[in-house]
Amino acid sequence: TQLLEQSPQFLSIQEGENLTVYCNSSSVFSSLQWYRQEPGEGPVLLVTVVTGGEVKKLKRLTFQFGDARKDSSLHITAAQPGDTGLYLCAGRPSGTYKYIFGTGTRLKVLA
Amino acid sequence: NAGVTQTPKFQVLKTGQSMTLQCAQDMNHNSMYWYRQDPGMGLRLIYYSASEGTTDKGEVPNGYNVSRLNKREFSLRLESAAPSQTSVYFCASKDVAGEYEQYFGPGTRLTVT
């Protein structure tokens, strides 16, 4: 069974702080996606990374795919209350149409 | 353009009852997915359909069946509901190739008593 483990599971920080969320697996993925989910809604895609070592930036969010394509990180600079939500990573094993989702990181940013 | 729609939004079943969760997408996507989300577990894939006419098991298929009725619709059936199937169910769709985004529906919150 392919697993994606995220850490930390919960994070509560003050506005303006920086944070990093990790997504780790022993399996290799052809691509990895990060989603954010608000209460009562479905996940919404933030970014897709496909090349080992790739770094993508989305405003204050920086995403990195590990060189071996087994892990990824999400770094948020100067967090804001609007960043509050559940962050999910999802990896696609090579040769399949399916996605394996991580366990999720619930972030709360306090004003 | 409604995206991905799911019905019902909420449902309470008694153990042993059956029901079908409906999902439809209007984006002409080839691939469709059913996930369940439990507290602390992220999303787990139940079944998926890479294209019309095909379905495949995901991580947790036991107790469920699916039907890809046509390109737009993908339904999930619980034949004999169990309390362990209490969860939030999400349907998603995606274009067939590459790393295109999965678009998720709003979810169905199911409670089995």
Side-chain angles (χ1 to χ4, degrees):
Chain A
T1 302
Q2 294 163 308
L3 292 173
L4 267 174
E5 295 194 7
Q6 285 184 238
S7 61
Q9 195 172 355
F10 299 98
L11 194 54
S12 181
I13 61 172
Q14 294 292 325
E15 182 177 3
E17 292 184 8
N18 302 331
L19 68 115
T20 302
V21 177
Y22 298 94
C23 176
N24 295 299
S25 176
S26 57
S27 302
V28 176
F29 296 101
S30 63
S31 67
L32 196 135
Q33 297 182 324
W34 284 92
Y35 290 81
R36 182 165 67 206
Q37 185 179 18
E38 306 285 347
E41 298 179 7
V44 176
L45 182 71
L46 295 172
V47 77
T48 301
V49 285
V50 297
T51 306
E54 183 176 2
V55 176
K56 281 192 174 179
K57 292 193 176 183
L58 184 66
K59 296 182 181 177
R60 295 175 292 98
L61 278 61
T62 302
F63 305 86
Q64 183 162 9
F65 201 11
D67 291 339
R69 291 185 288 129
K70 293 183 179 181
D71 54 81
S72 181
S73 63
L74 157 60
H75 182 79
I76 301 179
T77 303
Q80 298 177 1
D83 296 326
T84 293
L86 178 66
Y87 288 82
L88 296 160
C89 61
R92 186 170 75 87
S94 298
T96 74
Y97 289 99
K98 63 181 184 180
Y99 291 81
I100 307 296
F101 274 80
T103 46
T105 294
R106 193 167 297 279
L107 171 65
K108 187 167 186 177
V109 182
L110 304 168
Chain B
N1 191 339
V4 179
T5 56
Q6 290 183 237
T7 56
K9 197 160 176 64
F10 300 95
Q11 184 71 48
V12 179
L13 290 178
K14 292 190 165 125
T15 298
Q17 288 185 319
S18 62
M19 79 161 294
T20 300
L21 281 64
Q22 307 287 352
C23 173
Q25 51 91 10
D26 61 3
M27 296 173 283
N28 202 36
H29 287 168
N30 287 291
S31 300
M32 297 185 74
Y33 305 79
W34 275 106
Y35 294 91
R36 60 178 287 173
Q37 185 173 35
D38 303 302
M41 297 290 289
L43 277 81
R44 290 185 292 170
L45 182 64
I46 304 171
Y47 271 93
Y48 67 105
S49 171
S51 61
E52 186 179 356
T54 68
T55 60
D56 288 285
K57 294 179 180 179
E59 302 169 75
V60 288
N62 292 344
Y64 305 95
N65 284 302
V66 290
S67 295
R68 185 72 185 267
L69 304 169
N70 47 54
K71 192 171 186 180
R72 290 187 63 248
E73 299 171 287
F74 188 37
S75 62
L76 178 71
R77 182 159 179 85
L78 287 71
E79 290 292 350
S80 179
S84 60
Q85 294 178 305
T86 293
S87 189
V88 181
Y89 291 85
F90 287 99
C91 177
S93 72
K94 186 179 92 66
D95 209 338
V96 65
E99 304 307 330
Y100 294 107
E101 174 179 0
Q102 287 186 80
Y103 289 85
F104 283 83
T108 293
R109 188 174 293 274
L110 175 67
T111 301
V112 183
T113 60

